[in-house]
Amino acid sequence: MDRCIVLVDAGYLLGAAASLLAGEPSRSRIHVDHTALIQGLRERAETETERQLLRIYWFDGAPDRVPQPEHRRLRVMPRVTVRLGALTRSDGRWAQKGVDAAMHAELTELARNRACSDVVLVTGDGDLLPGMMAAKEHGVAVHLWAVQAADGDYNQSEDLVAEADERRVLDRTWITKAVRAKELGGICAPQPVPRPEIAAILSAPLPESAPAATARPVDEGVDAQPERHPPAVPAEGDAEDRAGAHKVVPTPKDLAALRAPATGAAPAPQHPTNATLRWSSDKGWVERPGGPGGGGEPPEAASLPTLAQLTTAEQRWADREEDITTVSGDPYEVGQVFARRWMARLADPGQLQKLATMYPRVPHRIDGELLRYAARFGLLAHKDDQIDEHDRYAIRAGFWREIDVRTAEHAAAAD
């Protein structure tokens, strides 16, 4: 059959792209536009082989072989078939298991059945050499594609390179059409303008009676303000910088003590009552002013509807379809999508203004719904046995950015 087929080792393609663009092979350091990437692979394969594409096979690893958000998006794309191997952790590193064997089996089966005349292999693993040789024996032309190596050297098995009928390199220009390096902190979007109440929180002095254990270092996972990246930890050996990086900020409990000083004590400094620290750690506790002792949800927050309450069955189906086919799963974008849906379905525009006055604290019912929505995309997963605080930070940052944009639009329209 005069068709071409593309077999992609996603671990190699995306790992090499991360090394090229971000300086390390971690796929978490890059953002991938899978639609653009698949389209680019298809167009280049058809140009290079002068054959129409039959299918793209995407081989990747996943924990327990359970499809991740990117796999669910890929497998509904036209002409794309996803094959998953296992993803296991050993010595602190993730490794794919069964992916090479699956590629080898698919390659030899396609060649044996004469399903195509040309096969494009995007891989660097020498374990595929027997499969490549078998395909050639069945009269299939084998095209080997490499990702431009970050150090200018090979990132493929030399035996594969020697055995391939044709070899091409996907250079930086081609890669960056669909892949880009993430900014530090994992937020792939311009940062919102800082808001003054954040500075008031961070400058709040600790009450003398507060024990040291109630205050946590900034770099332990506080996401008090959605727009600010958590500070990077300085390199070892710089004692002065390390001390500065572990600057202590007041916890919600400390702020409560500042607002309600003990009898006979000097008046505490006043800070915006709506500028409440929010801990994203599941071990931290959340200050919820409004009830006795500050433990309940304020009435204005309790009156705000959740997205589920605003969504019809038809909209729920459309949302799910959009999540699978359009939303990339980037944490910042996830927060934006959730906020856009919530705002679009509000019957009372005044509720948007009410939410905006609660910044930076998302009402806990909406916040919980937001994080549960993010979990659909594989975010908030345990990494190294700890919750990924950067994802939570980025999710809420995206949420507040959309709220700010819409609030500004309403204010401009009113003027």
Side-chain angles (χ1 to χ4, degrees), residues 28-49:
S28 64
R29 291 294 308 279
I30 56 174
H31 173 78
V32 183
D33 182 341
H34 290 91
T35 301
L37 181 58
I38 292 298
Q39 184 62 28
L41 289 170
R42 177 173 186 166
E43 291 176 355
R44 180 148 183 168
E46 291 181 338
T47 300
E48 295 283 349
T49 65

Side-chain angles (χ1 to χ4, degrees), residues 47-63:
T47 300
E48 295 283 349
T49 65
E50 299 181 349
R51 300 285 189 271
Q52 287 189 333
L53 177 77
L54 175 62
R55 191 173 298 116
I56 294 176
Y57 288 88
W58 186 272
F59 295 86
D60 203 359

Side-chain angles (χ1 to χ4, degrees), residues 98-146:
V99 172
D100 294 335
M103 288 188 70
H104 177 278
E106 199 74 56
L107 175 59
T108 54
E109 191 69 13
L110 291 168
R112 184 182 299 113
N113 293 325
R114 300 189 182 279
C116 59
S117 60
D118 295 74
V119 168
V120 174
L121 289 178
V122 186
T123 185
D125 199 325
D127 290 345
L128 277 177
L129 182 61
M132 178 186 286
M133 297 173 65
K136 292 175 64 177
E137 290 173 359
H138 285 90
V140 174
V142 180
H143 305 251
L144 182 66
W145 289 359

Side-chain angles (χ1 to χ4, degrees), residues 219-254:
D219 61 346
E220 279 189 8
V222 179
D223 64 346
Q225 60 283 5
E227 289 87 358
R228 189 175 64 89
H229 288 297
V233 179
E236 293 185 4
D238 193 338
E240 181 177 351
D241 286 347
R242 285 202 304 274
H246 287 270
K247 176 186 176 182
V248 173
V249 298
T251 67
K253 187 175 181 180
D254 297 330

Side-chain angles (χ1 to χ4, degrees), residues 160-222:
L160 280 183
V161 174
E163 191 67 28
D165 294 307
E166 301 282 349
R167 182 174 183 267
R168 296 289 184 271
V169 176
L170 305 176
D171 59 17
R172 180 187 293 269
T173 301
W174 190 92
I175 291 292
T176 51
K177 292 177 181 178
V179 183
R180 71 175 187 271
K182 289 184 179 179
E183 299 176 6
L184 292 177
I187 300 177
C188 301
Q191 294 302 294
V193 178
R195 298 175 65 150
E197 57 266 41
I198 295 304
I201 292 176
L202 296 179
S203 64
L206 289 175
E208 295 181 0
S209 59
T214 63
R216 298 189 178 191
V218 172
D219 61 346
E220 279 189 8
V222 179

